[in-house]
Amino acid sequence: MKPDLPARACGIDFGTSNSTVGWLRPGMEPLIALEDDKITLPSVVFFNFEEARPVYGRLALHEYLEGYEGRLMRSLKSLLGSKLLKSDTSLLGSAMPFTDILGLFLGQLKQRAEALAERPFEEVVLGRPVFFVDDDPLADQDAEDTLVKVAKKIGFKEVSFQYEPIAAAFDYEQTIAREELVLIVDIGGGTSDFSLVRLAPERRNLADRHDDILATGGVHIGGTDFDKQLSLNGVMPLFGYGGRMKSAAYMPTSHHLNLATWHTINAVYAQKAQLALRSMRFDVRDTTGIDRLFKLIDQKAGHWLAMQVEDCKIDLTQAAQRSLSLERIEPGLVAELSQSLLEDAITPLLQRISASLSQLLAKAGIGAEQIDTVFFTGGSSGVPALRHSINALLPNARQAQGNVFGSIGSGLAIEAKKRYG
């Protein structure tokens, strides 16, 4: 590497919730400001039907909340490895492949980075989760292959990958003064990824770090899953979730599940789904909740509600209680949420994360007492119940935290400089 010259290549952290672009330049921070002065671009596209144009990031969320007619698409990364990826969706009266929507967003990241850099980028290191898809190597490889095709279609000539937690490890390595055995815990919007890495100041500039990576692992659980469980347990009961039919059976849950899951919210607006819901109403014991559900669907307020729940989850990393006003749906309606409710709701998910970490240590032949540091990154890594569960697993390890939204992008920039000069 030539440290006195800007890197030829960039690194892109395409995240489920937020994305960043890193580019190493002498004397400058590695992360590029993508929207105003902010280093993150929310992974959101809003197709503004009134003006027949797509908008991205915070502006997309703003136009949606301002009430423009259109369609909001978020958690785009969740498409990778899903059955939706090979299908189309209807936009402005025509069919658009979901891969083209991915291309629009990734193209924005490329264009904004190039505008700031005042030069084109032809090589890129893309971050990827350890597993796009759990327990399905073929689907996982298909997800990576799709991302390569999309990246080349938008103008990259050379595309390579680095695991996101490994990239975070390389960012953390810039800060240490001695050798450490570090467990990287990256809790993003869609996945939880782990790497066990030996880091040291004298190893920072080595091109080959294969022997320093002792193990990688992960599970398809992330912040959007925490949002979903908080919604189902704390909000959706006000909309009939868990209610009973006149037959004493539980009310079908597909509409609530779709509303609590970012990339399926639009499904509840389909005519067929609404007809099924209206037919169901005649057989519901207490129609209070389902009638609120109709109001929410009529207002197309599913994404608005999901954003409110996400904000509550973030607040509950610090606060014990949070009131969610649903005045928009019904005067005086409030969902009372708490840190303990969130913890109970996500306990099964945390157990799966802990099990995955235990498997990782066993695979590496490393005892919990040998871990020097747990380094947290990813937007959902600050959930107190998550920290507590990992501390119980690794009680002697020091806990450290980098830039929760920027460590991966910075690490990918370091990797891009090593690979492409």
Side-chain angles (χ1 to χ4, degrees):
M1 291 193 302
K2 295 181 179 180
D4 56 330
L5 294 175
R8 289 174 51 199
C10 65
I12 292 181
D13 174 22
F14 171 40
T16 302
S17 300
N18 293 279
S19 296
T20 61
V21 179
W23 176 44
L24 286 192
R25 299 152 284 169
M28 298 186 71
E29 290 294 318
L31 294 173
I32 291 175
L34 295 174
E35 190 171 22
D36 300 324
D37 59 346
K38 298 178 176 62
I39 60 168
T40 59
L41 184 69
S43 304
V44 183
V45 182
F46 177 62
F47 292 92
N48 186 319
F49 293 166
E50 295 177 34
E51 300 178 12
R53 60 181 172 83
V55 289
Y56 307 88
R58 292 170 187 83
L59 181 59
L61 293 170
H62 172 74
E63 291 197 3
Y64 168 76
L65 292 173
E66 284 292 300
Y68 284 87
E69 185 68 24
R71 180 168 174 190
L72 186 76
M73 302 191 73
R74 194 174 177 185
S75 295
L76 299 171
K77 189 177 180 179
S78 299
L79 292 168
L80 293 166
S82 77
K83 294 177 182 178
L84 285 175
L85 196 60
K86 298 187 183 301
S87 60
D88 299 342
T89 188
S90 179
L91 288 168
L92 293 170
S94 60
M96 177 179 283
F98 279 107
T99 50
D100 285 1
I101 297 171
L102 288 176
L104 284 173
F105 184 77
L106 286 171
Q108 274 296 298
L109 294 175
K110 185 175 190 289
Q111 290 168 31
R112 293 179 188 217
E114 290 176 336
L116 185 137
E118 298 182 337
R119 46 147 296 171
F121 288 114
E122 295 185 341
E123 299 96 358
V124 64
V125 178
L126 291 172
R128 60 151 291 167
V130 176
F131 301 113
F132 281 109
V133 184
D134 292 341
D135 303 319
D136 191 339
L138 290 178
D140 188 82
Q141 186 61 51
D142 185 55
E144 182 177 292
D145 293 344
T146 298
L147 207 47
V148 170
K149 290 175 185 175
V150 170
K152 289 191 171 182
K153 189 174 181 179
I154 63 172
F156 286 114
K157 294 181 180 177
E158 295 288 335
V159 181
S160 60
F161 289 89
Q162 180 57 273
Y163 289 136
E164 290 158 358
I166 298 295
F170 293 156
D171 180 51
Y172 174 63
E173 191 173 44
Q174 308 304 302
T175 70
I176 63 176
R178 60 177 179 81
E179 182 174 305
E180 295 183 20
L181 182 58
V182 182
L183 176 66
I184 307 295
V185 177
D186 170 25
I187 313 294
T191 58
S192 295
D193 293 296
F194 321 113
S195 289
L196 191 57
V197 191
R198 198 172 300 281
L199 303 177
E202 61 271 16
R203 304 186 69 75
R204 289 173 189 158
N205 294 324
L206 295 178
D208 184 2
R209 301 297 301 274
H210 182 268
D211 291 341
D212 292 332
I213 301 168
L214 306 185
T216 58
V219 63
H220 209 265
I221 294 170
T224 55
D225 300 291
F226 297 166
D227 297 343
K228 177 178 180 177
Q229 295 307 315
L230 181 59
S231 181
L232 290 173
N233 286 268
V235 180
M236 288 301 158
L238 296 173
F239 294 89
Y241 181 70
R244 297 276 187 170
M245 309 295 284
K246 291 175 182 176
S247 66
Y250 282 106
M251 179 178 169
T253 60
S254 61
H255 295 83
H256 302 102
L257 291 170
N258 282 333
L259 281 169
T261 307
W262 271 108
H263 61 280
T264 59
I265 289 171
N266 287 306
V268 302
Y269 304 141
Q271 185 178 20
K272 183 178 178 181
Q274 293 193 54
L275 287 173
L277 194 62
R278 293 189 183 281
S279 175
M280 186 196 309
R281 185 184 184 278
F282 296 103
D283 297 317
V284 173
R285 281 183 182 175
D286 181 351
T287 60
T288 304
I290 197 171
D291 287 342
R292 289 171 181 157
L293 191 57
F294 288 134
K295 290 179 184 177
L296 187 147
I297 292 171
D298 288 345
Q299 292 184 28
K300 292 190 174 178
H303 288 94
W304 167 83
L305 181 59
M307 281 186 266
Q308 303 308 304
V309 172
E310 182 185 28
D311 287 345
C312 286
K313 178 199 67 180
I314 293 168
D315 288 348
L316 290 172
T317 63
Q318 304 290 331
Q321 305 283 334
R322 174 69 149 78
S323 296
L324 170 53
S325 173
L326 298 167
E327 190 83 17
R328 171 173 176 171
I329 306 300
E330 180 183 303
L333 186 63
V334 176
E336 296 293 348
L337 306 176
S338 68
Q339 201 173 97
S340 61
L341 184 149
L342 173 61
E343 182 171 353
D344 289 344
I346 66 175
T347 290
L349 302 180
L350 298 181
Q351 290 170 343
R352 288 175 58 195
I353 289 172
S354 292
S356 181
L357 280 171
S358 296
Q359 291 170 9
L360 180 82
L361 296 178
K363 182 169 68 174
I366 296 292
E369 72 284 352
Q370 294 175 260
I371 306 296
D372 296 308
T373 304
V374 179
F375 179 75
F376 290 98
T377 188
S380 294
S381 64
V383 173
L386 171 78
R387 296 283 182 107
H388 295 154
S389 68
I390 291 176
N391 185 60
L393 192 65
L394 303 165
N396 298 324
R398 183 177 73 93
Q399 293 195 357
Q401 178 177 296
N403 181 330
V404 293
F405 296 114
S407 290
I408 294 170
S410 296
L412 291 171
I414 294 168
E415 188 70 4
K417 178 87 170 179
K418 288 180 182 177
R419 292 186 186 183
Y420 299 111

